[in-house]
Amino acid sequence: MTKYYKDTNGKPFQDATDAVIEKCKLVEIDKSSFDAIVTELNTPTDAEVLAQEVAKKEAYLVSTDWIVIKINEVAITGGDTSDLLEKYSDELSARVEAREFINANEV
């Protein structure tokens, strides 16, 4: 039969040996308490979720920087950028949205 424990810091343990129980001062708990602790430990906070979204947006910007560079190279050499602006309009709009999201949520 599986036994569930937590230490004085609330860290969960399962089927601990007597030596571990004594060393870590474990207290036996029921399965639902154990499951609640594990769920809480594995559920990201709102701040962590937001940081992940910011990181995704930053990665998108990095992955599409080449588009901006390509358009700027054409522009600084006096070329016509209208075809490129049309071709990459979706990506450029998504970059604006990503930048706005990052600026609004960066810590």
Side-chain angles (χ1 to χ4, degrees):
M1 183 170 147
T2 303
K3 290 189 176 184
Y4 305 96
Y5 304 90
K6 69 176 181 177
D7 67 8
T8 56
N9 295 318
K11 180 179 175 186
F13 289 79
Q14 181 176 331
D15 290 333
T17 64
D18 289 340
V20 171
I21 292 169
E22 185 177 328
K23 180 180 180 182
C24 297
K25 298 180 176 134
L26 301 183
V27 176
E28 191 168 352
I29 58 175
D30 61 30
K31 182 172 180 359
S32 63
S33 297
F34 178 85
D35 290 343
I37 293 168
V38 170
T39 299
E40 183 178 337
L41 289 172
N42 291 314
T43 302
T45 64
D46 290 344
E48 290 169 332
V49 170
L50 185 58
Q52 291 170 350
E53 287 301 313
V54 167
K56 285 180 189 175
K57 303 291 186 187
E58 289 171 337
Y60 178 76
L61 291 178
V62 168
S63 74
T64 57
D65 277 347
W66 66 272
I67 295 170
V68 175
I69 294 168
K70 183 176 186 172
I71 293 169
N72 282 331
E73 285 177 347
V74 171
I76 62 174
T77 58
D80 181 8
T81 60
S82 57
D83 287 345
L84 291 173
L85 291 171
E86 184 178 335
K87 180 178 180 177
Y88 297 112
S89 64
D90 291 343
E91 290 85 353
L92 294 169
S93 294
R95 284 179 61 85
V96 169
E97 290 174 16
R99 178 81 57 215
E100 288 172 352
F101 183 87
I102 291 166
N103 289 342
N105 295 290
E106 209 166 32
V107 183

